[in-house]
């Protein structure tokens, strides 16, 4: 167990002024909600070198309490908060890319925020609570000016986690041509009402602290540290999962660390919260916290797919979205809402839900970065060269697919079938896969893959979105087959399904002779008590189902793959074929 | 959608002094953590009449912000917070039972608490923050004295939800003979570290409020209302599920109610929290909130099964535990920890996890009370008279079970097999069932039933706990069969398993002739694409598995149930029997 007074967040406390650069923004910023900012500055750090055509620049956006120090600049430098993702040879390779990380507008780490002097004030005083209400769009506008200054017309990618993910998506929607890729980790279209509730309580704690003094506390002896600390404590609970907290604090629940604090320290978790809360007040400004959390709460890309489709309609980048199974602040379901809108728009998108116990903080944690890092690398062009090896059944499937057709592959595995189509020149190819290792392999072939359980139907896709929907050797693993047939035929004009035949001669013989749940080489080669298969259809069964559902069988190919033979359709394929390919339509 | 400024909690705001009675406790209370209380009082309400032998008294314990007004006394009376559960003809029938609900020690609704005058003080002043640190045990001690006063030596039941459930369990452990039943709804052995964290932040908000004045604010103009309101806001989020909040506040997220408040009201959820927070300060005392939440946080029945078994070892009551699927404050897993300890101790326990979206508040919500109310009624003796109808296979199973054997029935359905055993005089009978409607039916036969998915093994039970473990017509619906065989043989000295034979002649013929996934009347009479079955074992398959796992088959009975025939073991039962009963041991 790690020191319970420490957290991943501690990496965000570094104050690495050495590499900080500052750009003065000459032009007034007209803010989205009205009001304007003049004389603003943008503080930022960079890594690597911009290439001649300025095509290798990656913008990294930080979360609410983060800063521009996303990575070490050299061995003597303070640790960065995303060191494991960004650096020489890392997923975001600073030997290859020019990485830019600005401090966010409204914050307190160099870019203009409430603690800076209001140029309109006389006598001069900080903005305080009169800092105008800003939006994620305003943050991105400042970053756009930084891009202009650096000579970057189009980012190779904009990358961020949490509030940083919001900024990345805002780039994709506000400046549709400004980035080639949008990478949003642990983000959401808008906050849940629950997350909103926590933010509101945090702001209430700050703003009702008597030392808040209506936001003009900068020249006073006391600051609203109590309110800010309470806000931070609350934040910390939402960043962790309950499992992670149990693991971290239940072992010595009644044995708190001794720290100096006015806050309660009866329990281990209490001393942790007191420590984190107090420490935060030494590096963060209460007005900035209010400003940034309100900007986050006002972010609203849409409440349903239609709204989200409208939001992303113009964007011209490809997308990578990553969520974490135990993240209850920005949930996987919320990322899926965005993914569903993007797929419906035919945008290029890869999505993975990483299994992790660490909650929202997962995006900062080494072992989880190991999981999603390869997907980031893949989105930035890193490829594993694996020649796609196809079975003869798969080769037949490929031959059934018209040139240039756009194709959805359900249960795409490591993507070898789609990779073969890609080699053949198909443009729009999407895979669906639920096994994480396969998903990563497919992504690293340069394919779009979406993490999806087929038992939930195909809500990510709209009617007739694909020329061809393929489901190869996956039918037997799906429980809701009848619904999935409808879904495939809704989403694709043509459906190609291959499946193992449970009435194949060898299986029938095995069953009749042995009196055992039948087995044969291939998908049905499992013990009855541990097979992953959910369904055991024969060719005749599937024909029956098609008839019953008014599905037309346009073509049927039957194989005895043990002898690599085609079986004539008139030669009782339900007995003689171990595998069938059916081409279906309605 | 209901008014978003209202909540179930509003029912707890009634101040029904009319029916409030007060008992002066003459003897000093020696507190569990040291310290003593003299001159304490206990305020309470009662419903119904105590019978002559004082055997019909039910104690109801309230949650942190509740009070003694659990139900209406008459039509003109204010609503009670558990009206739907308690009253004439309700699950806790006040025509039949004498119901007592005291206000809790440390609270502010009549029973001694921090806002009362400290009799040791001179000049007299309220206890304030110097009110001694109390425990759930102390609360229960006060209630015990109330019982003495009322002439109640043994409660028919002690019932409570949340903190009230903690009190009910404390009765069962502190005074083992004092109650016949313990009914704990939405409770836990101790708080999760996450729940603890929220309580700590709430107390920090109260105690750092400058108007808290170290707890002596009673004679001042200002009270720590801001801190108390923030504590209450936080509580409210934890009482709801995220789904419930979405439903309640997402429709008009940007359209808050207009209320007078110093708290933020930018969002719909914000105005709700402000309203709830402020309203709470008009009826609750900050010192009481600190006192009660700390008592709850200090409650610790045990962190693991061994500790929990030690805690409950002496208790002599039966138990009903109920949890709610979306309750993330006191989770179903936590209730299961208690259930697992109780079953291991051979205590009589029924447990249900009610499927609900309403979060922790479910225990107060009408539609959820409709779900668990029948279980409460059953625990109090209400029975549905259903004669157990047995199939001939089940009659054979019964004949295989020795008299007086204690029996675990896995997948017990509506409990008809166990009910037949009960009629035969068996004492210790436990059912496991995952379908809620069946579970309630079984409970209302007066059986102990536990809500459990067999795919997770049998962690509730210890080695050799039962003479016989029965699994009747359930094998085919379980995925993890190999593990479950081990588990059954660990938990029972003898295992009786009945299952449909997938190699039965009619199925083989159907398969071979039709070339379809085989069907026959009985458990295998489903379409291949929608069968709920997970496994398709033949008799020979199960024999093989037993051999492989070194399981002895002590007896085997085979049936052709279509003709109601016994099949001779030498007459190829794997072909001729559609059902098998195997008696297994190791």
């Amino acid at each position: 167990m790690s020191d319970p007074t420490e957290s991943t967040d501690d990496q965000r406390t570094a104050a690495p002024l050495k590499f900080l650069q500052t750009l003065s923004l000459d032009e007034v910023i007209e803010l989205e909600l009205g009001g304007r900012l003049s004389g603003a500055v943008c503080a930022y750090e960079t890594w690597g070198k911009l290439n001649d055509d300025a095509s290798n620049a990656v913008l990294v956006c930080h979360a609410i309490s983060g800063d521009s120090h996303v990575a070490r600049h050299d061995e003597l430098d303070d640790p960065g908060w995303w060191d494991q993702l960004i650096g020489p040879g890392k997923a975001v390779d600073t030997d290859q890319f020019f990485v830019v990380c600005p401090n966010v507008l409204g914050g307190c780490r160099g870019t203009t925020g409430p603690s800076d002097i209001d140029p309109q004030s006389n006598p001069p005083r900080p903005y305080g609570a009169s800092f105008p209400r800003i939006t994620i769009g305003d943050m991105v506008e400042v970053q756009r000016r930084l891009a202009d200054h650096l000579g970057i017309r189009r980012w190779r990618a904009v990358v961020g986690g949490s509030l940083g993910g919001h900024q990345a998506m805002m780039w994709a929607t506000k400046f549709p041509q400004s980035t080639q890729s949008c990478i949003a980790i642990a983000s959401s279209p808008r906050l849940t009402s629950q997350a909103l509730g926590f933010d509101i309580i945090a702001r209430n704690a700050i703003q009702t602290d008597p030392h808040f003094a209506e936001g003009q506390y900068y020249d006073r002896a006391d600051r609203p540290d109590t309110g800010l600390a309470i806000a931070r404590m609350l934040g910390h609970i939402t960043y962790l999962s309950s499992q992670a907290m149990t693991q971290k604090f239940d072992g010595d629940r009644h044995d708190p660390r001794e720290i100096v604090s006015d806050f309660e320290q009866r329990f281990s978790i209490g001393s942790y919260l007191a420590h984190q809360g107090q420490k935060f007040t030494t590096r963060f400004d209460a007005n900035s916290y209010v400003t940034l959390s309100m900007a986050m709460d006002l972010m609203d890309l849409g409440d349903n797919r239609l709204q989200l489709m409208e939001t992303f309609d113009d964007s011209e980048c490809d997308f990578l979205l990553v969520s974490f199974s135990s993240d209850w602040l920005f949930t996987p379901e919320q990322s899926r809402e965005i993914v569903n809108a993007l797929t419906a728009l035919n945008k290029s998108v890869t999505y993975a839900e990483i299994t992790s116990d660490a909650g929202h903080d997962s995006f900062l944690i080494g072992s989880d970065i190991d999981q999603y890092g390869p997907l980031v690398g893949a989105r930035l062009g890193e490829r594993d060269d694996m020649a796609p090896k196809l079975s003869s059944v798969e080769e037949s499937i490929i031959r059934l697919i018209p040139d240039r057709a756009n194709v959805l592959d359900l249960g795409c595995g490591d993507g070898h079938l789609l990779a073969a189509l890609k080699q053949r020149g198909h443009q729009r190819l999407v895979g669906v896969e639920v096994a994480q290792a396969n998903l990563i392999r497919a992504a690293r072939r340069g394919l779009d893959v979406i993490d999806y359980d087929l038992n939930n139907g195909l809500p990510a896709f709209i009617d007739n979105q694909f020329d061809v929907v393929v489901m190869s050797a996956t039918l037997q693993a799906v429980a809701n087959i009848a619904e999935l047939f409808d879904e495939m035929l809704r989403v694709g004009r043509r459906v190609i399904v291959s499946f193992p035949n449970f009435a194949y001669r060898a299986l029938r013989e095995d069953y009749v002779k042995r009196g055992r749940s039948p087995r044969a080489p291939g998908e049905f080669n499992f013990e009855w008590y541990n097979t992953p298969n959910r369904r055991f259809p024969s060719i005749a069964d599937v024909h029956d189902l098609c008839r019953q559902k008014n599905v037309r069988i346009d073509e049927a190919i039957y194989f005895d793959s043990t002898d690599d033979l085609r079986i004539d359709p008139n030669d009782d394929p339900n007995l003689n074929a171990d595998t069938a390919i059916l081409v279906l339509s309605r």
Side-chain angles (χ1 to χ4, degrees), chain A:
Chain A
M1 201 181 85
S2 62
D3 182 344
T5 61
E6 295 303 311
S7 92
T8 53
D9 178 74
D10 284 358
Q11 299 189 354
R12 297 177 218 168
T13 62
L17 296 173
K18 192 169 134 201
F19 295 95
L20 201 66
Q21 304 176 59
T22 305
L23 167 69
S24 294
L25 306 174
D26 300 329
E27 261 182 76
V28 165
I29 303 169
E30 303 285 347
L31 299 168
E32 288 191 335
L33 297 177
R36 46 209 332 244
L37 282 174
S38 56
V41 300
C42 176
Y44 63 99
E45 296 177 54
T46 70
W47 294 256
K49 286 211 174 76
L50 188 64
N51 62 9
D52 292 342
D53 61 352
S55 64
N56 71 334
V58 172
L59 177 69
V60 180
C61 305
H62 66 75
I64 187 163
S65 62
D67 58 33
S68 59
H69 198 56
V70 66
R72 288 173 196 277
H73 292 267
D74 54 43
E75 282 181 12
L76 298 174
D77 196 9
D78 289 330
W81 52 267
W82 232 352
D83 266 329
Q84 200 154 333
L85 189 74
I86 295 172
K90 307 279 174 72
V92 182
D93 186 352
T94 49
D95 289 338
Q96 189 184 346
F97 295 106
F98 176 63
V99 173
V100 181
C101 186
N103 285 318
V104 83
L105 179 68
C108 50
R109 311 286 288 166
T111 298
T112 298
S115 59
D116 293 312
I117 299 297
D118 177 358
Q120 315 294 331
S121 60
N122 190 1
R125 64 170 205 170
Y127 287 101
S130 67
F131 191 76
R133 186 164 282 184
I134 60 166
T135 62
I136 311 275
D138 297 327
M139 298 175 183
V140 165
E141 170 60 28
V142 168
Q143 292 163 359
R144 193 193 59 79
R145 298 192 188 190
L146 174 62
D148 284 350
H149 164 75
L150 296 170
I152 298 160
R153 309 194 64 173
R154 190 163 186 246
W155 299 101
R156 174 62 191 83
V158 182
V159 187
S162 193
L163 173 64
H166 284 156
Q167 294 165 59
M169 290 189 290
M170 189 53 72
W171 268 97
T173 59
K174 192 178 164 92
F175 307 119
Q177 303 172 342
S178 61
T179 184
Q180 188 181 336
S181 299
C182 166
I183 302 180
I185 318 281
S187 199
S188 67
R190 64 180 200 170
L191 270 68
T192 62
S193 277
Q194 187 186 66
L196 212 50
F198 286 125
D199 277 354
I200 290 166
I201 295 175
R203 285 193 295 270
N204 281 336
I206 292 171
Q207 293 176 325
T208 60
D209 184 322
H211 297 307
F212 185 66
E214 298 189 328
Q216 275 301 346
Y217 48 76
Y218 297 102
D219 56 355
R220 300 189 174 207
D222 290 307
R223 293 183 163 218
D225 288 345
T226 302
L228 182 59
I230 286 177
R232 183 61 170 172
M233 293 180 198
L234 201 44
H236 261 281
I237 295 187
T238 65
Y239 303 152
L240 297 170
S241 69
S242 186
Q243 308 96 291
M245 290 188 73
T246 297
Q247 245 181 321
K248 213 167 173 171
F249 303 112
D250 254 28
D252 59 353
R253 143 177 319 220
H254 298 287
D255 185 24
R257 300 284 156 132
E258 278 180 35
I259 61 167
V260 180
S261 170
D262 290 336
F263 295 112
E264 182 187 310
Q265 294 176 66
R266 171 66 188 73
F267 301 95
S268 171
I269 169 70
S271 67
Y272 170 86
L273 292 173
H275 171 74
Q276 293 295 339
Q278 288 188 163
K279 200 181 57 172
F280 192 57
T281 63
T282 65
R283 72 172 177 96
F284 217 84
D285 176 47
N287 280 314
S288 275
Y289 198 83
V290 169
T291 299
L292 297 182
S293 82
M294 182 57 93
M296 194 147 102
D297 292 0
L298 291 171
M299 168 92 172
D300 195 344
L301 298 178
D303 183 29
N304 55 56
R305 182 152 75 173
L306 272 182
Q307 286 175 9
L308 284 164
M309 286 175 70
E310 217 166 287
T311 300
F312 285 102
D313 196 18
D314 290 338
S315 56
E316 295 186 6
C317 59
D318 55 45
F319 293 83
L320 168 64
L321 275 85
V322 174
S323 69
F324 302 94
S325 56
S326 59
D327 186 350
W328 57 288
L329 190 64
F330 290 175
T331 67
E333 292 68 32
Q334 292 183 292
S335 281
R336 280 183 200 280
E337 286 174 29
I338 302 168
V339 172
N340 289 359
L342 293 172
T343 50
L345 288 166
N346 268 322
K347 305 291 180 193
S348 167
V349 53
T350 285
Y351 168 65
E353 178 185 325
I354 304 293
T355 302
S356 163
D357 268 356
H360 186 59
D361 259 352
S362 298
F363 82 95
L364 294 168
I365 285 177
S367 54
D368 294 312
I369 296 174
D370 286 345
Q371 298 298 308
Y372 73 78
L375 295 170
V376 174
R379 208 25 123 196
L380 290 173
E382 208 174 285
R383 297 280 181 273
D384 293 336
D385 276 328
M386 296 180 287
K389 271 190 205 162
L390 301 187
S391 67
S392 55
V393 173
E394 288 165 334
E395 276 167 4
S396 301
I397 291 174
I398 296 262
R399 280 192 293 273
L400 289 165
I401 296 174
D403 284 345
R404 286 183 298 280
N406 54 41
V407 178
L408 173 65
D409 186 359
L410 303 178
C412 71
D414 67 4
H416 57 278
L417 196 142
L418 289 177
L421 290 172
K422 199 177 177 192
Q423 284 181 353
R424 218 176 68 174
H426 292 253
Q427 290 296 314
R428 175 82 184 127
L429 300 168
V430 179
V432 167
E433 178 58 42
V434 76
Q436 208 159 293
N438 275 339
L439 191 147
I440 290 171
R441 270 185 225 115
R444 292 181 73 87
R445 290 182 190 272
L447 296 164
D448 283 337
V449 211
I450 297 169
D451 189 337
Y452 231 101
D453 182 348
L454 295 179
N455 284 305
N456 301 326
L458 301 172
F461 306 100
I462 58 173
D463 297 358
N464 291 317
Q465 195 174 349
F466 292 90
D467 298 315
V468 179
V469 174
V470 174
M471 185 164 68
S472 166
T474 300
L475 184 76
Q476 76 287 347
V478 178
N480 294 342
I481 287 191
E483 294 76 9
L484 190 57
F485 263 63
D486 288 333
E487 280 288 88
M488 291 191 294
L489 288 157
R490 175 182 69 76
V491 164
R493 268 173 284 274
R494 176 185 289 207
V495 169
I496 303 178
V497 54
S498 79
F499 59 94
N501 174 26
F502 191 61
Y504 177 53
R505 182 192 302 276
L507 286 157
R508 289 200 218 188
E509 283 172 4
D510 188 55
Y511 179 54
V512 170
K513 282 187 199 148
R514 288 199 312 131
R516 265 92 174 157
S517 208
R519 296 179 59 169
E523 279 82 6
F524 291 125
N525 198 8
F526 293 95
E527 298 286 356
W528 65 277
Y529 53 80
N530 67 8
T531 175
N533 295 329
R534 285 295 279 122
R535 301 295 175 210
F536 303 87
S538 68
I539 290 170
D541 278 324
V542 177
H543 275 267
D544 288 352
L545 183 64
C546 289
R547 213 168 0 250
Q548 185 190 320
K549 296 185 89 58
N550 266 325
V551 173
R552 211 170 48 221
I553 300 178
D554 296 322
E555 207 169 335
I557 307 177
Y558 305 109
F559 298 86
D560 184 345
S561 61
T562 51
D563 296 324
D564 220 354
L565 273 180
R566 286 278 277 263
I567 304 294
D568 189 289
N570 298 317
D571 190 18
D572 197 356
N574 197 42
L575 182 67
N576 294 319
D578 65 354
T579 306
I581 303 176
L582 302 181
V583 182
L584 311 175
S585 65
R586 219 170 215 162

